């Protein structure tokens, strides 16, 4: 068992609870013992970084400090945006002693622990798509996916900017495909898998965002995908919940089920309904479930 | 060595597009631009592309290689040719194509011009002394000043694909270059201008610009700096700005984002009422957590105290975004994704050629 600090982020704590529940249920099967961070806040998404950048840095330093306090050298995330935010802050703090000192002084004066730079931020996807985690995943995914056609959707902030993320080639990623295949599914290829789903501006600029959102859904659908899988709860939210808006605007009803990564692996690993929580999705996952039953 | 390329040719008059194969004998030190020159010289004189400096400074030779915008004169062909990979070359995206690899840059220049890209000084004459700008002040716009206006960032901008009128990464980075310049005194007017319908808050944070820029400008960071400056000046009536502000409030009061309230805070109550039907659909699936009791993180007072403390330390606005040499560094690729992957194999993004690496060099000299 590898012990890692676990940062849920807001979405998995609230509207995407199914992501947290399935991740917690799956973790032991892929060799991960999760130590959930309880005293932390939201990482601020791109929003606090844009509105109050110095405060963003401190919020994230505080999360890193509490992660370090658990004694683990790894902070696991389940959200693209959290991953970029925390890795960016980590990179900045580790590379600038004067900055780290100032931030630490501030952390300590409000009663938080200081951060010494001993934590590496890793997305769940990365922990199970290579090395030992991947071997364990292959063993765990014994139930398979019966050749289900799955379209991987990476989203932006797990690939770009690669200088802060750097896990795989940002233009030709393969981690999700490897997982889909290890689980017994067939990975569908389509150009928009590395593009943006439009989530950050879905409220402020809905039309612009929908123009982005339709691309992966339409392309995956035309390539014959049974479902889309994504490692990011924000991508999940827009792909799943805003699909009805695409229907309103374009008259096209894609009915494309959207799975969280932990749910996809979870299905193959035999998690039950109460751990997968498909009922919480807006677009019905029933066709996928039926395919697997036959 | 033999170098092979596939080039998307385009004839605007006939409106025809075709993918043509080329193969040519070339010295080992060639760049993609050199190969195009050789093809034009020896195979087909009608091939059209732009170039001038051949040394990554004029910004003329932006084009796509395997779908990713690059400067043709920056890409060394040796490793790509050795791997047997045949890259596909095409014109940049988000701009009309004039012929082959030449795009119409008119919309690009129009947006740059819309930023009023000149200094509008308003400072007092410092008299006998010089007007001194500190290194720290210059650091804020260091990266933005490196732009060579090649358009590689714009080529793959996801928001611009969806909204062609979006000012886009290059123009906004140019805007930040002046907003962040302490000698410029049109800051407020600029920020108001850039915060309009197709401005700062149109950016979807896809980070393609950051990934593609051959000069390390990091345009997405420049846009974040503009956002931070706009908020500092109280220019926050755009829905995007309100959205961002709400995150700050929410992190201070409950620690976690209060998603339920986010919609009204962003869109205003009148507009959000129209969203009720949509929201009810989400509510059915637990997608909108009930507002009461709010989900409160433990020890959220620590976050609140941090906010108050940080606000007094004079690093508001763009100054809060980490600048300087370290921010310019690039991390090594971990290649953890697939250790067996050939970095120059099928479809991979080529790395810049470094002199002294591999045997190619010695042979080229002999
Ligand atoms: S990225 Fe979003 S969901 Fe993840 S913690 Fe940060 S604000 Fe919350
Ligand atoms: S695709 Fe859009 S929402 Fe998803 S991670 Fe990228 S920016 Fe975020
Ligand atoms: S920001 Fe970079 S990619 Fe964009 S125009 Fe300037 S130099 Fe080119
Ligand atoms: S991050 Fe913003 S400006 Fe940059 S390419 Fe994406 S949408 Fe365009
Ligand atoms: S020819 Fe000038 S940048 Fe490539």
């Amino acid at each position: 068992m590898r012990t890692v600090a676990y940062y849920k982020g807001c979405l998995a704590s609230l509207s995407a609870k199914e992501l947290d529940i399935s991740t917690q249920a799956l973790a032991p099967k892929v060799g991960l013992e999760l130590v959930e961070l309880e005293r932390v806040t939201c990482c601020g998404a791109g929003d606090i970084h844009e509105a109050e950048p110095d405060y963003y840095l401190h919020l994230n330093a505080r999360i890193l400090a509490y992660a370090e306090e658990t004694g683990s050298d790894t902070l696991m995330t389940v959200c693209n945006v959290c991953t970029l935010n925390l890795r960016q802050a980590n990179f900045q703090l580790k590379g600038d002693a004067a900055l780290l000192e100032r931030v630490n002084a501030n952390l300590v004066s409000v009663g938080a622990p200081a951060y010494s730079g001993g934590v590496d931020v890793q997305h769940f996807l990365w922990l199970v798509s290579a090395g030992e985690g991947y071997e364990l995943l292959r063993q765990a995914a014994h139930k398979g996916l019966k050749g289900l056609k799955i379209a991987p959707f990476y989203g932006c902030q797990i690939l770009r900017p690669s200088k802060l993320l750097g896990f795989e080639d940002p233009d030709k990623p393969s981690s999700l495909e490897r997982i889909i295949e290890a689980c017994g599914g067939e990975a569908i290829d389509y150009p928009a898998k590395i593009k943006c789903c439009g989530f950050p501006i879905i409220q402020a600029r809905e039309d612009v965002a929908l123009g982005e959102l339709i691309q992966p859904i339409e392309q995956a659908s035309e390539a014959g995908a049974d479902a889309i899988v994504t490692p990011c709860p924000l991508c999940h939210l827009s792909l799943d919940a805003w699909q009805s808006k695409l229907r309103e605007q374009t008259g096209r009803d894609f009915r494309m089920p959207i799975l969280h990564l932990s749910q996809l692996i979870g299905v193959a690993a035999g998690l039950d309904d109460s751990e997968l929580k498909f009922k919480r999705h807006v677009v019905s996952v029933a066709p996928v479930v039926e395919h697997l039953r036959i | 060595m033999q170098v092979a390329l596939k080039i998307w040719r385009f004839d605007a008059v006939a409106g025809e597009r075709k993918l043509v194969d080329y193969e040519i004998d070339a010295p080992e030190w060639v760049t993609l631009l050199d190969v195009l020159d050789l093809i034009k010289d020896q195979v087909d004189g009608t091939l059209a592309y732009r170039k001038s400096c051949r040394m990554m400074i004029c910004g003329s030779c932006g084009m796509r290689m395997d779908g990713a915008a690059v400067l043709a004169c920056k890409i060394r062909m040796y490793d790509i040719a050795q791997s047997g990979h045949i890259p596909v070359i095409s014109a940049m995206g988000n701009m009309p194509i004039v012929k082959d690899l030449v795009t119409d840059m008119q919309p690009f220049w129009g947006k740059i011009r819309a930023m009023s890209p000149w200094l509008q000084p308003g400072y007092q004459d410092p008299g006998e002394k010089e007007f001194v700008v500190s290194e720290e002040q210059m650091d804020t716009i260091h990266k933005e000043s490196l732009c060579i206006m090649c358009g590689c960032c714009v080529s793959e901008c996801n928001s611009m694909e969806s909204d062609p009128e979006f000012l886009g990464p290059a123009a906004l980075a140019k805007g930040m270059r002046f907003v962040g310049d302490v000698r410029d005194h049109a800051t407020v007017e600029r920020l108001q201008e850039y915060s309009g319908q197709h401005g700062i808050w149109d950016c979807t944070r896809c980070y393609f610009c950051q990934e593609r820029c051959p000069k390390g400008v990091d345009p997405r960071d420049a846009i974040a700096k503009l956002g931070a400056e706009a908020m500092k000046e109280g220019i926050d009536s755009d829905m995007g700005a309100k959205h961002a502000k709400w995150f700050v409030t929410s992190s201070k009061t409950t620690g976690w984002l209060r998603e339920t309230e986010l919609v009204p805070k962003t869109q205003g109550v009148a507009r959000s009422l129209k969203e009720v039907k949509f929201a009810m659909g989400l509510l059915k699936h637990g997608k909108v957590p009930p507002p009461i009791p709010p989900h409160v993180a433990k020890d959220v007072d620590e976050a609140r105290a941090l906010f108050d403390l940080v606000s007094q330390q004079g690093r508001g606005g763009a100054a809060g975004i980490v600048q300087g040499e370290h921010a310019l560094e690039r991390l090594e690729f971990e290649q953890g994704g697939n250790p067996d992957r050939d970095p120059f194999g099928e479809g991979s993004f080529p790395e810049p050629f470094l002199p002294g690496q591999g045997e190619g060099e010695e042979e080229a000299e002999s």
Side-chain angles (χ1 to χ4, degrees), chain B residues 167-196:
Chain B
L167 286 170
L172 287 169
K174 185 62 66 200
M176 180 57 207
R177 186 249 166 272
F178 289 100
V179 163
D181 191 320
V182 285
R183 298 165 299 178
D184 189 273
H185 277 238
T187 310
V188 173
E189 294 80 357
R190 287 182 189 278
L191 287 169
Q192 272 160 349
E193 184 81 25
Y194 310 162
S195 298

Side-chain angles (χ1 to χ4, degrees), chain A residues 154-221:
Chain A
Y154 286 86
C156 312
Q157 297 179 22
I158 200 159
L159 298 173
R160 295 175 300 274
S162 63
K163 73 170 175 180
L164 291 172
L165 297 156
F167 177 75
E168 55 192 328
D169 185 327
D171 289 309
K172 200 124 179 97
S174 59
S175 53
L176 280 174
E177 282 84 347
R178 278 207 308 285
I179 291 177
I180 293 168
E181 277 152 24
C183 289
E186 185 191 328
I188 297 287
D189 198 20
Y190 63 108
K193 70 180 178 186
I194 60 168
K195 291 175 78 176
C196 185
C197 66
F199 184 81
I201 51 171
I202 211 152
Q203 288 184 12
R205 297 285 188 280
E206 191 173 273
D207 292 347
V208 183
L210 290 180
E212 291 163 20
L213 178 64
I214 194 168
Q215 298 179 31
I217 298 181
E218 182 178 41
Q219 291 175 10
S221 161

